[in-house]
């Protein structure tokens, strides 16, 4: 039965308010759980790892542990929704279950629901109630069996391993298709003040977290993408609204800057962008 409750602004539950609704997205990833209780925090921790990897256009991530019922409204307009949460079924720690949302006919009642007990099934149930026909139908749930949910505990090794496996599934099936394709011809520019400039498409395709490690090897500058700023490295700072980026490489080149445009190439085997230094492009 369709919901008929009225909200304070006069709209009905399930109706769209263009002033308040978040913009649609291709993929929404929601991590449910309590960060303070060990393995129960695997969902929010996972979405933080996704953020560090870099967010392509079309992807939105939500910490369901703090967003609570707002998760439902974040779902409006999403093409696909993925929810990650911990489970306690008695299976071996780290066991991962993948449940298509279409199979979740029996969901918990909404009476007495509050943000401190907000789980993945609550998120779907509340979204179906609040959004009505606007609730996305392509919903997938990943549940990771917890080992330790005691207050203040870290993620257990088994759950950490399972989380990394789920991240790779999400990257392969949901996120990689959103990432821009590496340009066929790659050029970069060294500036006289010691910066290396990369185009928006190259930066987004190869350095989505906007952090790189750099080294000089065989008369080439090598740049290797890192997962996030916590890893250290060189920051790719945005320099144009289009997304062109620049990183300071003066120290790597011992103040010997080969100013000008260079041809670069991506080395799949090494996972690095390699930029020859000995020949200036004409």
């Amino acid at each position: 039965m369709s919901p008929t409750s009225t909200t304070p602004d006069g709209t009905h539950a399930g109706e769209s308010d263009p002033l308040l609704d978040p913009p649609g997205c291709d993929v929404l990833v929601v991590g449910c759980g309590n960060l303070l209780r060990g393995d129960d925090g695997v969902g929010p921790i996972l979405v933080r790892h996704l953020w560090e990897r870099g967010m392509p256009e079309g992807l939105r991530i939500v910490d369901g542990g703090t967003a609570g019922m707002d998760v439902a409204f974040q779902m409006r307009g999403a093409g696909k929704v993925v929810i990650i949460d911990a489970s306690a079924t008695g299976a071996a720690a780290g066991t991962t279950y993948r449940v298509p949302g279409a199979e979740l006919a029996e969901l918990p009642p909404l009476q007495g629901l509050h943000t401190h007990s907000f789980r993945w099934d609550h998120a779907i149930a509340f979204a179906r109630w609040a959004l009505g026909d606007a609730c996305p139908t392509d919903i997938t749930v990943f549940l990771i069996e917890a080992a330790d949910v005691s207050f203040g505990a870290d993620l257990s090794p088994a759950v950490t391993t399972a989380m990394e496996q789920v991240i790779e599934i999400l990257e392969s099936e949901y996120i990689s298709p959103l990432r821009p394709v590496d340009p066929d011809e790659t050029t970069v520019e060294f500036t006289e003040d010691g910066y290396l400039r990369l185009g928006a498409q190259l930066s987004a395709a190869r350095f989505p977290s906007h952090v790189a490690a750099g080294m000089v090897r065989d008369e080439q500058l090598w740049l290797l993408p890192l997962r996030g700023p916590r890893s250290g490295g060189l920051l790719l700072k945005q320099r144009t609204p289009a997304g062109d980026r620049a990183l300071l490489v003066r120290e790597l080149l011992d103040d010997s800057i080969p100013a000008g445009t260079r041809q670069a190439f991506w080395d799949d085997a090494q996972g690095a962008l390699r930029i020859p230094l000995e020949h200036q492009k004409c």
Side-chain angles (χ1 to χ4, degrees):
M1 182 173 66
S2 299
T4 57
S5 59
T6 303
T7 62
D9 63 359
T11 62
H12 295 289
E15 289 185 354
S16 175
D17 184 341
L19 297 178
L20 299 178
D21 290 340
C25 62
D26 296 301
V27 177
L28 172 70
V29 180
V30 180
C32 294
N34 188 335
L35 278 170
L36 301 179
R37 292 197 171 274
D39 291 337
D40 190 49
V42 65
I45 291 173
L46 184 147
V47 298
R48 283 161 171 76
H49 280 281
L50 291 183
W51 179 83
E52 285 195 341
R53 284 172 169 244
M55 299 275 293
E57 186 175 352
L59 172 68
R60 184 188 304 141
I61 60 175
V62 174
D63 180 348
T66 57
M69 297 179 188
D70 182 55
V71 168
F73 299 102
Q74 294 283 346
M75 289 186 188
R76 190 194 300 276
K80 299 179 180 180
V81 176
V82 182
I83 299 175
I84 301 95
D85 202 354
S87 61
T89 67
T95 300
T96 301
Y97 305 92
R98 180 172 183 167
V99 186
E103 298 182 6
L104 303 173
E106 296 297 326
L107 292 171
L110 296 176
Q111 290 83 358
L113 176 63
H114 56 84
T115 56
H116 296 292
S117 63
F118 206 77
R119 304 189 309 262
W120 64 271
D121 46 356
H122 293 138
I124 299 175
F126 188 71
R128 289 177 179 174
W129 176 84
L131 302 182
D133 292 340
C135 182
T137 57
D138 191 337
I139 301 175
T140 300
V141 179
F142 287 89
L143 300 175
I144 300 175
E145 188 73 9
D148 183 0
V149 295
S150 58
F151 187 82
D154 295 325
L155 284 187
S156 65
V159 170
T160 298
T161 298
M163 178 186 70
E164 291 290 346
Q165 293 170 347
V166 172
I167 287 175
E168 292 308 316
I169 293 172
L170 297 183
E171 180 67 38
S172 173
E173 298 185 18
Y174 295 92
I175 302 176
S176 288
L178 301 179
R179 297 197 186 280
V181 178
D182 196 17
D184 293 332
E185 298 232 349
T186 302
T187 58
V188 297
E189 180 188 0
F190 289 99
T191 65
E192 294 185 356
D193 56 352
Y195 281 86
L196 178 67
R197 294 178 176 176
L198 307 179
Q201 187 176 358
L202 173 61
S203 298
R206 295 301 185 183
F207 303 94
S209 65
H210 313 311
V211 186
M215 68 180 74
V216 175
R217 177 184 295 178
D218 301 326
E219 296 188 84
Q220 296 178 342
L221 175 62
W222 288 32
L223 295 179
L224 296 88
L226 299 177
R227 282 198 175 182
R230 290 191 300 178
S231 305
L234 305 169
L235 294 177
L236 280 71
K237 301 178 181 179
Q238 186 166 344
R239 52 180 294 272
T240 69
D244 295 344
R245 294 189 175 265
L247 63 159
L248 186 64
V249 295
R250 176 183 292 278
E251 292 186 3
L252 289 175
L253 301 178
D254 296 327
D255 290 329
S256 178
I257 311 301
T261 301
R262 299 285 174 129
Q263 196 77 38
F265 67 96
W266 181 259
D267 185 334
D268 279 318
Q270 301 294 334
L273 182 68
R274 297 171 60 175
I275 308 162
L277 299 173
E278 69 274 20
H279 297 298
Q280 180 92 25
K281 181 184 175 183
C282 299

